[in-house]
Amino acid sequence: MRAVDRIRANLRASASRQILLKPTRDDGWSLLAVEMYPLSILLKTPASPIAAVLLTIVGTMAVSCRSADVQSGPQIIQPGAPGQSSRVIAAEQAVDLSRVQHTPADVRFMQGMIGHHAQALEMTALVAARSSSDELRKLALRIEVSQADEIKMMQDWLKRRGQALPDPHALHAHGATLMPGMLTSEEMGRLADAKGAEFDRLFLEGMIKHHDGALIMVKELFSNPGAGQESEIFAFASDVDADQRMEIDRMGAMLREMHK
């Protein structure tokens, strides 16, 4: 049997294989498959047949792996607007945000959420003088700090785009349109008049309603074609959704504990 044939026979018979990654000149990777066989075979085999066999293996594996990468690489699907089909796009298109701009729906969302957050701050400002619950005070502080920062962020977002800033006191105007979940003036009055356990209950119920309204606003934003796609507003709206859901769960648990 020729030396080359002996190596090939050992390659077929061997139960052990090493797969090594080897960098190529084009910064890609090729697979080097080397069968483990007795050193004596190598020592008795001329260098050139060994090289021929190994080069054959390397070449075959590299070609097959490159082909597999091309054929089985993940596709990037861009969802279509309502009534339109999705389409496959290239990776370069997926990361190109140069043409993603804000929309009128984005502006309305930011303007409305400023007023929505402003009322939440009014609610948390009532807690210190009316509740003796440490847990409720911690919750109110969390809401106050996070939503005050978000109001500043939304105002900056609108300023950078030359958009009007809403009047923070507009929600107190007679006949003012309230955003989803916001408490009416009567509900705010009852909350301000309550104390102790009654205040805690009204606060939790009112803030759950308030947070539910924020989730509705986020849902309405993303339901508008092209809205919520700018990176900054997408991240903010997604954070609002996640944070409000978490706090709703926490407040729901606090209410159930009160009713025991």
Side-chain angles (χ1 to χ4, degrees):
M1 179 182 293
R2 293 185 308 159
V4 172
D5 293 332
R6 288 201 302 272
I7 294 176
R8 286 173 176 161
N10 276 277
L11 289 174
R12 288 192 296 268
S14 175
S16 175
R17 171 178 291 177
Q18 288 183 334
I19 303 297
L20 306 177
L21 283 174
K22 186 179 88 170
T24 58
R25 290 184 179 179
D26 58 356
D27 293 329
W29 292 88
S30 64
L31 285 175
L32 175 61
V34 180
E35 296 290 349
M36 306 300 292
Y37 45 85
L39 183 59
S40 59
I41 296 295
L42 290 176
L43 295 177
K44 295 177 182 178
T45 306
S48 55
I50 295 176
V53 172
L54 292 180
L55 285 174
T56 301
I57 296 170
V58 172
T60 303
M61 293 295 292
V63 171
S64 62
C65 289
R66 289 178 183 273
S67 300
D69 288 341
V70 172
Q71 295 174 359
S72 61
Q75 290 184 329
I76 302 175
I77 308 297
Q78 181 184 50
Q84 299 180 4
S85 59
S86 301
R87 64 192 183 97
V88 177
I89 61 174
E92 292 77 10
Q93 293 174 284
V95 299
D96 181 15
L97 302 178
S98 61
R99 290 182 291 178
V100 178
Q101 303 294 328
H102 69 274
T103 68
D106 295 335
V107 174
R108 291 193 300 270
F109 173 80
M110 290 298 219
Q111 291 171 334
M113 193 61 80
I114 288 176
H116 199 272
H117 276 26
Q119 187 182 70
L121 297 184
E122 292 183 2
M123 295 173 67
T124 59
L126 299 174
V127 171
R130 293 168 176 79
S131 176
S132 58
S133 169
D134 289 338
E135 188 176 9
L136 188 67
R137 291 187 178 195
K138 291 177 182 178
L139 171 68
L141 179 60
R142 170 188 165 85
I143 294 173
E144 178 182 348
V145 170
S146 64
Q147 299 208 9
D149 285 344
E150 289 174 353
I151 287 176
K152 294 178 182 178
M153 183 277 295
M154 290 185 283
Q155 289 172 335
D156 290 342
W157 188 92
L158 290 168
K159 287 178 183 178
R160 293 198 307 271
R161 289 155 182 80
Q163 301 297 325
L165 299 181
D167 181 355
H169 304 293
L171 59 95
H172 298 295
H174 179 71
T177 301
L178 299 179
M179 303 306 293
M182 292 181 66
L183 275 61
T184 64
S185 57
E186 292 78 11
E187 289 173 321
M188 286 295 294
R190 287 196 295 272
L191 181 64
D193 292 340
K195 287 189 177 182
E198 178 66 8
F199 173 85
D200 294 351
R201 181 184 64 81
L202 289 175
F203 178 87
L204 291 171
E205 291 175 347
M207 194 61 81
I208 288 175
K209 172 187 174 183
H210 201 269
H211 279 28
D212 279 333
L215 298 182
I216 292 173
M217 293 173 68
V218 171
K219 183 177 180 180
E220 290 177 346
L221 170 70
F222 288 125
S223 69
N224 283 276
Q229 299 305 302
E230 189 187 52
S231 59
E232 192 171 356
I233 194 168
F234 177 84
F236 170 62
S238 300
D239 286 345
V240 168
D241 188 89
D243 290 346
Q244 306 278 294
R245 289 183 188 277
M246 179 182 66
E247 289 175 354
I248 287 173
D249 290 343
R250 180 179 177 184
M251 291 187 288
M254 292 170 67
L255 269 178
R256 291 191 293 272
E257 189 66 25
M258 290 178 61
H259 293 156
K260 288 184 178 179

